[in-house]
């Protein structure tokens, strides 16, 4: 029992230990921010490494908690994202008063996500979701002196509470019509019963809020803009990634009996999401708002992949999230460094950025190309696999519209590249000395963007885990 | 190993070039790399002809049925040779043109070459698409960072155009992939797909638009004159000499054999579009005052003829396209070299502002005359044999009812080509000198020797075209066999 507990829940255990270590560090003698950040980063690295050993399949607490190598991999992806974010926000955190609290909040959020991913029961899932939401709202308020930051936290907590309400309502109806909340037992009780469909719609709305699918996306831009960049990147990568992982597994396993119904819903949602996300991204000048809308469009693409409902679809979605971690975090990282050094967050500030900061410019350019889905970056493969997965259902209208939307997204990503390299500017952003930590993070991201796509092992490995062979 | 080297040498050399220091080093490095590539390409044609050297395959995304499969077949040999030969010519001809951030410029040029080679070598649809897009990225930076004043807006147009095409093609490829038995991207499996004609037609247009934008075929050509006008010369040479061949190549390898029934059904439509484009472009070329735009429009006319000849689906026509792809690349690069010399000396490309160059620049005039005559396909020059074969193929086509109409209409453009080319020569090189051209001096040594080398190539191929026709004949027959529509006609 105890060895089971330790091995199956190793990643959760590691996180809990980490949180406690940070707490004790805080209680101990005064320390400089730098030493905190360094210690925590080393611990996060250890935490990430833990995910690669002793992987087993198993269940605990009457199926409340289940795990398998695929889930471990999903959690490792999130761990990696957390590590990169922590390294990138080095310069911002260094000047902050409450470093340990920041880490404790984000790590608690991660813990909630892990339980959510591993949940084998809607109760566990809900518990994990809540644990991952409330600390995040506090973290969004972490630019303590800025009003916008508080506003963002307020908006986040309200919209989260609302979506949690929808989710709970849906879950209760599911329980009412089936008498169980255990994932493995649910499919046999589900049919195209109108009440169950209604319950599913409520659940879907709850999920859609979390991953900001149109029309549940209205909070996204404001929260992204107001929150500190570290939290924004966490929101856009880790928190979205986690919910997408859960969404895929719940859709494909629990709601398989009503697949036809949700296929149509997702079809409409994905198209609307891509188109609206793209159209709004076209007009943004604030870099964070821009990334918010572009990430909405990216989620639309993920939905296209999810409609495929096959092993290839699962693989492509997980693969895409992995790539999205690298590409989006590279972009956010540059914005974070520039913002913390100069306070500039507008796209128009980046005009002629190349002249003063060639390395950062290339990092940002490669990241944007990857987000746009241009070879040889990994983003191309990610989008390609998503489209292929979506094509599995034979719906070429969806695929064609999605593909044409890639042109629109290409346009606005290219607009930034153009600003960086070609637009004239008397006073470009001054030369920035990037500290070691963020620089390392950039290297990791760029290596990820360039290698994960070209080396097919990553995709094949995820595919093998998904099919269980 | 040859195909892998053809991709790897420019790729690695291109990456390394970003780290070279001075302009001179970067230039030498690029020249060295491109000469090395040329050497490998020639070795592949001569000593290493054994099939085991010319193909390479290794697993890549096995779970999706894709592999890293590259092979040099006849058509690949010709186009890779063109790519390999063009680069030293381009680099030497623009040897004295200064480039700011030269190491980046030459790095991007070499990366483009790697992408182009990949397109011509790929035997896997996913790999083909990958290289197809890959070749674009360095070109984006080349077009937008070096060139005329309006380059940024023009590059945007060019890119949005090609990107729309590529993504439509991507949808088409994914559709075809799902139709292969056992889901695979291999070209052999694509050739074995047997779809009903109506389905083929949809996919046909998805793929054709991508290729048509690249070539460009009327009415997808509007990006081209602007782009050629605004980019700098070395890039223009790559774009017009090699990159347009991606479209022609794509149709021959990935469209005709994969979707034979649709190619048959829509062949006349496509040929009509191409012929409208040819006449239209030739008429505009007659009225052009800008040398760069003149060459650009004349290129549209030449490519249009290739398109008609492909859809005639005869051996002669197809052989003509093969040899003409090579010739067109060489000739148009030579034309650009001349235009660059003129613009650099006089600071203008306007035909109306020039005149009387023949007196001041005798060497250039003679060389240009030969290149221009090759451009209008005079006998003894390389284009003559290509155009002759293509016209012969169009005339002898059994696949279309309108072969005579097509041939006559396309034939008109030969006359039009003579009009605009000779008219240009008359106005630029003969007549009286004016204050702009009064102090002209003849061309530099490097330019002279490069042009002489090109002229020599023009004559060699013109006199002995069999060398190239032998390389491609096997591929042509294979493709025509795959594109055979008899099974579909019997079904009806």
């Amino acid at each position: 029992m105890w060895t089971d507990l330790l091995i199956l829940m190793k990643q959760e255990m590691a996180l809990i230990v980490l949180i406690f270590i940070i707490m004790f560090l805080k209680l101990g003698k005064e320390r400089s921010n730098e030493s905190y950040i360094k210690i925590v980063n080393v611990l996060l690295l250890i935490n990430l490494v833990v995910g690669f050993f002793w992987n087993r399949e198993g269940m605990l607490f009457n199926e409340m908690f289940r795990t398998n190598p695929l889930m471990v991999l999903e959690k490792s992806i999130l761990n990696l994202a957390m590590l990169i974010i922590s390294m990138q926000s080095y310069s911002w955190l260094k000047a902050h008063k409450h470093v340990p609290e920041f880490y404790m909040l984000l790590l608690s959020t991660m813990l909630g996500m892990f339980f959510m991913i591993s949940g084998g029961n809607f109760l566990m899932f809900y518990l994990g979701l809540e644990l991952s939401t409330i600390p995040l709202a506090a973290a969004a308020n972490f630019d303590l002196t800025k009003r916008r930051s508080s506003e963002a936290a307020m908006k986040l907590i309200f919209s989260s509470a609302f979506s949690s309400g929808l989710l709970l309502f849906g879950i209760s109806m599911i329980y009412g019509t089936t008498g169980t909340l255990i994932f493995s037992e649910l499919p046999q009780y589900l049919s195209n019963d109108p009440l169950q469909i209604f319950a599913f719609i409520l659940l879907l709305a709850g999920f859609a809020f979390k991953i900001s699918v149109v029309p549940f996306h209205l909070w996204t831009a404001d929260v992204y803009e107001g929150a500190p960049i570290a939290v924004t990147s966490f929101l856009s990568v880790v928190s979205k990634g986690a919910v997408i992982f859960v969404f895929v597994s719940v859709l494909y396993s629990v709601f398989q009996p009503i697949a036809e119904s949700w296929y149509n819903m997702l079809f409409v949602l994905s198209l609307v999401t891509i188109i609206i996300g793209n159209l709004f991204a076209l007009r943004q000048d604030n870099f964070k708002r821009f990334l918010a809308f572009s990430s909405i469009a990216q989620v639309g693409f993920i939905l296209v992949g999810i409609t495929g409902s096959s092993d290839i679809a699962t693989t492509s979605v997980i693969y895409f999230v992995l790539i999205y971690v690298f590409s989006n975090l590279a972009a956010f990282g540059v914005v974070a460094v520039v913002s913390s050094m100069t306070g500039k967050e507008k796209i128009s500030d980046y005009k002629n950025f190349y002249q003063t900061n060639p390395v950062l410019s290339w990092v940002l350019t490669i990241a944007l190309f990857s987000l746009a889905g241009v070879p040889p970056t990994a983003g191309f493969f990610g989008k390609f696999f998503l489209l292929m997965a979506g094509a599995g259902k034979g719906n070429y209208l969806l695929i064609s519209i999605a593909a044409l939307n890639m042109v629109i997204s290409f346009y606005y990503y290219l607009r930034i590249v153009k600003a960086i390299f070609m637009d004239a500017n008397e006073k470009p952003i001054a030369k920035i000395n990037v500290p070691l930590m963020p620089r390392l993070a950039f290297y990791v991201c760029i290596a990820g963007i360039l290698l994960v796509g070209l080396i097919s092992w990553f995709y094949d490995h995820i595919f093998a885990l998904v099919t269980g062979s | 190993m040859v195909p892998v080297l053809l991709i790897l040498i420019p790729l690695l050399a291109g990456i390394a070039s970003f780290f070279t220091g001075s302009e001179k080093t970067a230039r030498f490095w690029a020249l060295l790399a491109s000469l090395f590539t040329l050497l490998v390409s020639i070795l592949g044609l001569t000593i290493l002809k054994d099939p085991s050297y010319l193909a390479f395959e290794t697993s890549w995304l096995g779970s999706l049925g894709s592999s890293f499969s590259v092979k040099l077949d006849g058509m690949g040999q010709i186009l890779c040779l063109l790519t390999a030969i063009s680069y030293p010519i381009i680099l030497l001809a623009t040897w004295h043109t200064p480039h700011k951030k030269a190491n980046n410029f030459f790095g991007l040029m070499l990366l483009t070459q790697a992408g182009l080679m990949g397109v011509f070598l790929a035997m896997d649809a996913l790999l083909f698409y990958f290289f197809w897009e890959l070749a674009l990225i360095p070109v984006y930076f080349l077009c937008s960072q070096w060139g005329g004043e309006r380059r940024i807006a023009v590059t945007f147009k060019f890119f949005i155009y090609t990107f729309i095409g590529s993504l439509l093609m991507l949808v088409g490829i994914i559709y075809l992939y799902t139709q292969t038995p056992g889901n695979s991207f291999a070209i052999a499996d694509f050739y074995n797909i047997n779809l009903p004609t109506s389905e083929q037609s949809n996919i046909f247009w998805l793929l054709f638009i991508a290729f048509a934008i690249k070539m460009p075929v009327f009415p997808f050509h509007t990006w081209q004159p602007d782009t050629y006008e605004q980019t700098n010369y070395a890039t223009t040479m790559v774009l017009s000499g090699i990159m347009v061949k991606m479209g022609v190549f794509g149709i021959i390898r990935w469209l005709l054999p994969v979707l034979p029934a649709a190619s048959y059904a829509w062949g006349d439509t496509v040929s009509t579009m191409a012929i409208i484009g040819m006449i239209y472009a030739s008429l505009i070329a007659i009225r052009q005052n800008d040398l760069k735009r003149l060459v650009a429009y004349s290129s549209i006319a030449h490519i249009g003829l290739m398109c008609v000849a492909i859809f005639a689906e005869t051996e002669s026509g197809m052989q003509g396209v093969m040899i003409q792809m090579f010739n067109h690349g060489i000739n148009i690069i030579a034309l650009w070299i001349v235009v660059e010399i003129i613009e650099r000396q006089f600071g203008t490309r306007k035909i109306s502002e020039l005149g009387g160059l023949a007196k001041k620049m005798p060497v250039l005039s003679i060389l240009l005359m030969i290149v221009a005559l090759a451009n209008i396909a005079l006998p003894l020059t390389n284009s003559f044999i290509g155009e002759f074969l293509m016209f012969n193929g169009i005339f002898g086509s059994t696949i279309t009812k309108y072969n005579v109409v097509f041939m006559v209409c396309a034939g008109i453009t030969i006359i039009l080509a003579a009009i605009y080319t000779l008219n240009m020569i008359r106005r630029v090189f003969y007549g009286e000198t004016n204050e702009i051209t009064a102090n002209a001096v003849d061309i530099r040594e490097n330019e002279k020797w490069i042009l002489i080398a090109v002229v020599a190539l023009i004559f060699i191929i013109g006199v002995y075209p069999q060398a190239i026709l032998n390389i491609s004949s096997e591929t042509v027959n294979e493709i025509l066999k795959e594109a055979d529509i008899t099974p579909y006609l019997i079904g009806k």
Side-chain angles (χ1 to χ4, degrees):
Chain A
M1 172 71 195
W2 286 106
T3 52
D4 259 11
L5 200 64
L6 274 178
I7 287 180
L8 293 180
M9 294 183 72
K10 59 183 171 142
Q11 282 168 308
E12 288 77 9
M13 292 293 184
L15 265 189
I16 294 171
V17 170
L18 226 166
I19 294 171
F20 274 93
I21 291 178
I22 296 172
M23 213 189 295
F24 287 127
L25 283 178
K26 167 90 179 167
L27 291 176
K29 69 176 171 41
E30 279 284 307
R31 251 169 233 284
S32 72
N33 276 346
E34 259 168 83
S35 67
Y36 266 126
I37 301 171
K38 275 178 192 152
I39 295 172
V40 175
N41 278 338
V42 172
L43 290 174
L44 282 172
L45 185 65
I46 297 171
N47 181 37
L48 172 66
V49 172
V50 167
F52 294 103
F53 300 100
W54 310 294
N55 286 342
R56 265 179 38 196
E57 204 167 338
M59 273 185 255
L60 289 170
F61 316 122
N62 293 328
E63 284 193 40
M64 272 284 185
F65 184 95
R66 67 210 163 116
T67 184
N68 58 35
L70 183 66
M71 288 178 182
V72 173
L73 176 78
E74 292 174 349
K75 291 174 195 168
S76 294
I77 293 176
L78 301 183
N79 271 332
L80 174 71
M82 178 70 213
L83 176 62
I84 296 176
I85 292 172
S86 155
M87 286 159 77
Q88 281 176 343
S89 39
Y90 175 78
S91 2
W92 173 71
L93 275 179
K94 215 170 63 173
H96 205 280
K97 272 187 288 186
H98 302 284
V99 176
E101 286 87 342
F102 175 76
Y103 279 114
M104 276 155 63
L105 285 173
L106 285 197
L107 291 175
S108 320
T109 313
M110 289 268 290
L111 186 63
M113 286 164 188
F114 284 9
F115 279 118
M116 183 168 76
I117 290 173
S118 275
N121 184 312
F122 265 119
L123 276 183
M124 190 66 193
F125 160 75
Y126 181 74
L127 215 63
L129 189 76
E130 283 304 288
L131 180 53
S132 74
T133 307
I134 296 166
L136 197 54
N141 192 18
F142 231 66
D143 264 341
L144 297 170
T145 51
K146 286 190 189 159
R147 271 188 58 196
R148 276 189 164 278
S149 187
S150 319
E151 187 191 325
M154 226 32 206
K155 281 181 177 156
L156 184 58
I157 198 88
F158 277 138
S159 61
S160 298
F162 186 58
S163 73
S164 296
L166 290 178
L167 262 178
L168 263 188
F169 194 26
I171 293 173
S172 63
M173 268 194 233
I174 295 261
Y175 187 70
T177 54
T178 62
T180 178
L181 285 177
I182 300 173
F183 284 172
S184 59
E185 288 178 3
L186 269 169
Q188 51 183 318
Y189 300 114
L190 287 175
S191 58
N192 276 320
D193 179 66
L195 192 58
Q196 285 175 349
I197 300 281
F198 182 57
F200 173 75
I201 292 175
L202 289 173
L203 274 174
L204 182 66
F207 276 116
F209 253 112
K210 298 284 175 197
I211 54 178
S212 53
V213 170
V214 175
F216 307 100
H217 67 290
L218 295 164
W219 59 276
T220 320
D222 290 344
V223 173
Y224 276 30
E225 189 186 358
I229 294 180
V231 181
T232 310
S233 40
F234 189 88
L235 265 171
S236 86
V237 174
V238 182
S239 127
K240 263 187 196 168
V243 178
I244 285 165
F245 289 147
V246 181
F247 189 43
V248 171
S249 81
V250 168
L251 268 186
Y252 288 2
S253 58
V254 180
F255 291 105
Q256 195 55 44
I258 55 167
E260 249 170 60
S261 314
W262 60 250
Y263 175 77
N264 291 328
M265 296 180 208
L266 283 191
F267 168 63
V268 176
L269 284 181
S270 63
L271 281 188
V272 177
T273 307
I274 295 178
I275 293 172
I276 301 277
N278 270 342
L279 291 184
F280 278 84
L282 281 175
R283 309 280 312 161
Q284 300 304 322
D285 190 39
N286 181 298
F287 218 120
K288 282 153 86 183
R289 282 186 87 86
F290 166 78
L291 284 171
F293 282 109
S294 92
S295 83
I296 291 175
Q298 304 276 359
V299 167
F301 276 100
I302 295 181
L303 289 186
V304 171
I306 293 179
T307 58
S309 101
S310 58
D311 284 342
I312 291 186
T314 318
T315 316
S316 66
V317 170
I318 295 171
Y319 181 80
F320 189 83
V321 173
L322 172 65
I323 290 162
Y324 188 62
V325 165
F326 291 124
S327 342
N328 218 19
L329 286 185
F332 266 118
V334 175
V335 179
V337 169
V338 171
S339 161
S340 69
M341 298 286 186
T342 64
K344 291 183 175 170
E345 285 183 0
K346 282 190 175 163
I347 292 174
S348 45
D349 294 332
Y350 281 76
K351 281 182 182 167
N352 213 358
F353 189 50
Y354 179 65
Q355 199 191 339
T356 44
N357 296 288
V359 178
L360 281 181
S361 298
W362 278 112
V363 171
L364 190 54
T365 305
I366 292 174
L368 291 174
F369 271 136
S370 183
L371 287 172
V374 177
T377 59
F380 160 71
F381 292 95
K383 287 254 168 74
F384 179 73
F385 296 147
L386 285 178
L387 290 182
M388 268 202 20
K393 282 274 183 213
N395 191 339
Y396 284 88
L397 179 69
L398 175 65
I399 305 303
S400 307
I401 297 178
L404 286 179
N405 267 281
M406 277 175 76
V407 182
I408 303 180
S409 69
F410 187 67
Y411 169 80
Y412 58 69
Y413 289 121
L414 213 57
R415 206 169 54 108
I416 300 177
V417 175
K418 180 183 114 196
I420 295 172
F421 282 90
M422 292 141 215
D423 283 355
N425 189 355
E426 297 280 293
K427 276 183 270 169
I429 294 171
K431 173 132 191 62
I432 293 170
N433 266 326
V434 185
L436 178 67
M437 284 276 188
R439 211 182 319 149
L440 276 178
F442 287 141
Y443 291 149
V444 172
C445 288
I446 293 301
I449 291 175
L450 294 179
L451 295 181
V452 172
L454 289 177
I455 300 175
S456 65
W457 177 85
F458 290 93
Y459 183 88
D460 290 340
H461 178 68
I462 299 174
F463 188 75
L465 288 182
V466 169
T467 52
S469 58
Chain B
M1 275 334 277
V2 176
V4 180
L5 282 179
L6 285 179
I7 298 174
L8 270 188
I9 295 171
L11 182 71
L12 297 178
I15 293 169
S17 171
F18 287 102
F19 301 101
T20 52
S22 70
E23 174 157 5
K24 215 173 168 188
T25 334
R27 209 183 280 278
F28 266 110
W29 174 248
L31 181 66
L32 194 71
S34 64
L35 285 174
F36 203 56
T37 315
L38 177 61
L39 178 75
V40 173
S41 171
I42 290 173
L43 283 180
L45 272 168
T46 50
I47 304 171
L48 305 173
K49 242 191 330 202
D50 192 65
S52 59
Y53 293 119
L54 298 183
F56 178 80
E57 185 167 358
T58 180
S59 79
W60 186 61
L61 289 169
S63 52
L64 282 173
S66 174
S67 63
F68 186 91
S69 164
V70 284
K71 191 179 145 198
L72 262 175
D73 65 351
M75 180 163 52
Q77 291 272 28
I78 292 179
L79 285 165
C80 286
L81 183 66
L82 171 67
T83 315
I85 274 192
S86 304
Y87 261 72
I89 294 180
I90 295 170
L91 292 174
L92 284 171
T94 56
W95 194 255
H96 296 290
T97 317
H99 295 291
K100 60 177 168 65
K101 301 200 193 93
N103 53 343
N104 290 2
F105 181 80
F106 291 109
L108 291 166
M109 286 284 275
L110 289 171
L111 290 182
T112 314
Q113 193 185 19
L116 289 165
M117 290 283 190
V119 170
F120 298 142
L121 291 167
M123 286 289 161
D124 180 284
L126 179 56
L127 197 64
F128 169 72
Y129 184 80
F130 176 75
F131 279 120
W132 176 276
E133 292 279 287
L134 186 65
L136 269 182
I137 302 311
V139 170
Y140 170 72
F141 286 102
L142 284 173
C143 291
S144 56
Q145 295 209 59
W146 293 272
E149 274 171 17
R150 279 175 43 239
R151 62 178 190 273
I152 293 171
V154 165
T155 311
F156 239 100
K157 183 171 163 191
F158 169 42
F159 258 72
I160 297 301
Y161 251 103
T162 43
F163 216 64
I164 290 176
S166 312
L167 285 165
L168 291 177
M169 176 165 81
L170 181 65
V171 176
I173 288 178
I174 290 177
Y175 186 85
L176 288 171
Y177 164 78
T178 56
Q179 300 300 319
T180 52
N183 287 0
S184 135
F185 281 107
I187 192 165
D189 291 316
F190 268 51
Y191 283 1
N192 284 332
I193 302 171
N194 272 320
L195 293 177
T197 311
S198 58
E199 266 179 66
Q200 285 200 12
S201 298
N202 297 334
I203 309 302
F204 176 85
W205 285 104
L206 288 176
L207 296 183
F208 179 74
I209 289 178
F211 300 139
I213 290 174
K214 208 57 160 214
M215 298 212 312
V217 172
F218 177 86
F220 305 105
H221 66 283
T222 58
W223 61 269
Q224 193 236 34
D226 288 342
T227 310
Y228 286 5
E229 186 190 338
Q230 289 298 323
T231 48
N232 77 349
Y233 281 94
T235 316
T236 319
M237 291 177 203
V238 173
L239 278 176
S240 60
I242 316 172
M243 220 153 185
V244 292
K245 307 302 181 310
M246 280 165 68
V248 184
F249 170 89
I251 289 184
I252 297 177
R253 171 156 295 159
W254 292 98
L255 193 64
L256 217 53
V258 177
L259 303 165
S263 306
Y264 170 66
W266 292 102
D268 286 346
T269 316
V270 170
S271 299
T272 311
M273 276 159 56
I275 285 177
I276 293 175
M278 285 165 71
I279 296 175
Y280 165 80
S282 304
L283 289 175
I284 294 184
I286 292 176
R287 302 290 308 160
Q288 274 308 321
N289 194 23
D290 184 312
L291 280 172
K292 262 191 145 180
R293 292 184 82 88
L294 185 136
V295 180
Y297 279 109
S298 110
S299 173
I300 295 180
H302 285 117
I303 297 284
L305 181 60
M306 291 186 208
C307 187
V308 182
I310 293 172
F311 282 94
E313 296 188 29
T314 51
E315 190 186 344
S316 154
M318 207 65 108
Q319 283 281 41
V321 174
M322 294 287 169
I323 192 166
Q324 194 62 4
M325 279 200 277
F326 189 85
N327 295 336
H328 175 262
I330 299 290
N331 296 353
I332 201 167
I333 288 175
L335 281 176
W336 290 128
I337 294 174
V338 175
V339 177
E340 199 216 350
I341 293 170
I342 292 176
E343 185 179 1
R344 204 179 45 222
Q345 259 207 26
F346 307 114
T348 178
R349 299 189 300 255
K350 294 244 159 54
I351 295 175
S352 56
E353 293 175 10
L354 297 162
L357 293 189
K359 285 179 208 152
K360 301 281 177 186
M361 310 168 93
V363 181
L364 179 70
S365 305
I366 295 166
L367 292 172
L368 172 76
M369 197 64 199
I370 298 169
V371 175
L373 291 179
N375 198 40
I376 52 178
L378 213 71
L380 267 192
T381 63
N382 56 0
S383 297
F384 169 71
I385 190 71
E387 295 215 344
F388 176 77
L389 283 172
M390 287 196 284
F391 276 112
N392 186 28
I394 296 169
F395 186 66
S397 173
T398 50
I399 202 166
T400 165
K401 281 187 296 220
Y402 308 109
N403 50 350
V404 180
V405 182
F406 286 156
M407 162 131 157
V408 170
C409 293
I412 293 174
T413 60
I414 296 194
I415 304 167
L416 295 176
I419 295 177
Y420 62 73
T421 314
L422 296 177
N423 196 30
M424 181 268 284
I425 291 181
R426 183 178 62 81
R427 291 170 64 190
V428 174
F429 284 85
Y430 298 104
E432 290 305 310
T433 51
N434 55 25
E435 63 268 33
I436 296 179
T437 56
N439 300 319
V441 283
D442 214 347
I443 54 177
R444 291 196 181 110
E445 283 296 299
N446 68 315
E447 289 151 355
K448 186 166 91 190
W449 287 109
I450 281 299
L451 280 175
I452 287 176
V454 173
V455 166
L457 259 178
I458 287 176
F459 280 126
I460 292 171
I461 298 172
V463 176
Y464 185 60
Q466 206 57 37
I468 287 187
L469 294 177
N470 282 343
I471 302 175
S472 61
S473 65
E474 200 183 326
T475 317
V476 165
N477 285 322
E478 266 172 40
I479 283 165
L480 287 176
K481 206 177 89 208
E482 291 291 344
D484 188 18
I485 44 127
T486 338
Y488 292 92
L489 293 180
I490 292 168
K492 279 181 182 169

